[in-house]
Amino acid sequence: MDGIQKARELLARARSIVALTGAGISAESGIPTFRGPGGMWRQWRPEDLATPAAFARDPRLVWEWYDWRRGLIARATPNAGHRALVDLENGREKFTLVTQNVDGLHDLAGSRNTVKLHGDIWRMRCTECRAEWTDRRVPLPELPPRCRCGAMARPAIVWFGESLPDGAMEQAEQAACRADVLLVIGTSAVVYPAAGLVPYAVESGAQVIEINTEPSLPGGEVAYALKGPAGEILPRLLG
Ligand code: BV8
Ligand code: ZN
C-alpha cells in the first residue's frame, strides 16, 4: 500500500487535524516561492527586503517589491490544493488552517478557520497613527502609499525581526497541541517561530504528514512524507 493510502487511513482515524502551509501551496497558482526559482526580485532576496531596516532605508524600493507581488497575486487563483483543504474543513469538526502565506489565496478558496502567522498582503498599516485598512488596488497609484492622516503606510506584514500578530502563534499552538494529525504543506520550515509548530505538535502526540515537492522535515518527525506538488497530492490525500 503506498504512502498516500496509509496517510489516508491515518486521517480517517484522526479527530482533530491542523494544516500548516507555506509558499509551496501557492506555487501552482503562479506565485513564486521564497527560496525556490523565481524567489528573487531584481537582485534582491526576500530576506533583504522583508525587514524594518530595508523599509527605513528605502521604503519606495520595498513598496515596489510589494506592489509587484500584489500585481502577481491579484492575477492568481486558488488551485486544487487550496480547494482540497476547504473540502477537508467542511467535512471535519476540528480543523485549523495555519498559514505563513500572505497572499490570501486560502481566503479566496473559502477556508474559514485560518490563522495567518505573517499577515496579509492586502492590508496596510500607518507608520504613525497605527490605523490599519485593506487596499486591493493594483498597481498602487503612489508609492509609498499614504494613510488618511498623511503619514506613510507600510504593508501589514510580519517582517524578519518583527513579532507575529498578537495571539496568532498561541492560537496555532493551541490547535497543534490537540491535533491528531498535522499536515505540513509546501514549506521549507526554516522560518521561526512558525516552523517550531512541527516539533511542538509532534511532542504533543500528533502524527505529521508532509506534502512537498522536496520533502525537507527531519525523518524522525514525519509519519508520511508525500513527494509531489500540493495541487496533485492533496486532492488524492483528502478527496
Ligand atoms: C521573530 C512575510 C522575534 C514577508 C515572512 C528562532 C525563534 C524566533 C525567531 C528566529 C529564530 N531563528 C531565527 C529567527 C529569526 C527569523 C527567522 O526565522 N529567520 C530564518 C530565515 C532563519 N524569524 C523572524 O524574524 C520572525 N520574527 O522571530 O521575531 C521577535 C520576538 C519578540 C519581539 C520582537 C521580535 C518573523 C518571521 C516572519 C518573516 N516574514 N514573510 C513577506 O511575505 O513579504 S517569512 C517568509 O518565509 C514567508 O512568509 C514564507 O511563508 C516563509 C516561509 O517560507 P516558505 O513558505 O516555507 O517558502 P519557501 O520558499 O522557503 O519554501 C517553499 C517550499 O515549498 C519548499 O520546501 C518547496 O520544496 C516547496 N514547494 C515548491 N513548490 C511546491 C512545493 N510544495 C508543494 N507543492 C508545490 N507545488
Ligand atoms: Zn495614519
Side-chain angles (χ1 to χ4, degrees), residues 227-239:
K227 183 175 168 66
E232 187 197 300
I233 299 274
L234 285 176
R236 289 170 55 200
L237 176 65
L238 306 176

Side-chain angles (χ1 to χ4, degrees), residues 68-230:
W68 171 76
R69 286 172 66 195
R70 289 160 51 104
L72 214 58
I73 291 166
R75 292 191 297 276
T77 52
N79 62 58
H82 296 104
R83 291 194 298 274
L85 288 176
V86 175
D87 294 343
L88 177 66
E89 178 171 10
N90 292 338
R92 291 284 175 146
E93 265 177 35
K94 293 187 186 150
F95 175 77
T96 302
L97 172 62
V98 180
T99 189
Q100 301 170 86
N101 298 343
V102 300
D103 60 31
L105 290 188
H106 286 303
D107 301 336
L108 221 49
S111 290
R112 294 184 310 283
N113 187 17
T114 307
V115 181
K116 290 182 185 155
L117 295 180
H118 297 156
D120 178 342
I121 203 161
W122 301 116
R123 299 280 292 168
M124 297 190 176
R125 185 165 64 238
C126 180
T127 55
E128 296 284 329
C129 74
R130 314 297 294 163
E132 196 164 305
W133 65 96
T134 297
D135 183 334
R136 291 182 176 277
R137 292 176 296 174
V138 289
L140 286 164
E142 71 159 321
L143 296 178
R146 299 222 157 262
C147 171
R148 273 200 294 263
C149 77
M152 179 166 64
R154 59 160 285 176
I157 278 187
V158 180
W159 285 331
F160 289 100
E162 294 187 320
S163 42
L164 273 54
D166 288 347
M169 201 57 205
E170 292 73 12
Q171 204 184 340
E173 285 169 345
Q174 262 172 27
C177 80
R178 288 195 299 263
D180 299 311
V181 172
L182 174 70
L183 297 166
V184 181
I185 306 162
T187 182
S188 57
V190 297
V191 172
Y192 286 81
L197 208 60
V198 180
Y200 182 84
V202 171
E203 278 147 37
S204 311
Q207 303 238 50
V208 173
I209 300 171
E210 181 178 19
I211 295 98
N212 198 310
T213 43
E214 293 148 37
S216 49
L217 290 177
E221 285 183 351
V222 180
Y224 299 103
L226 306 177
K227 183 175 168 66

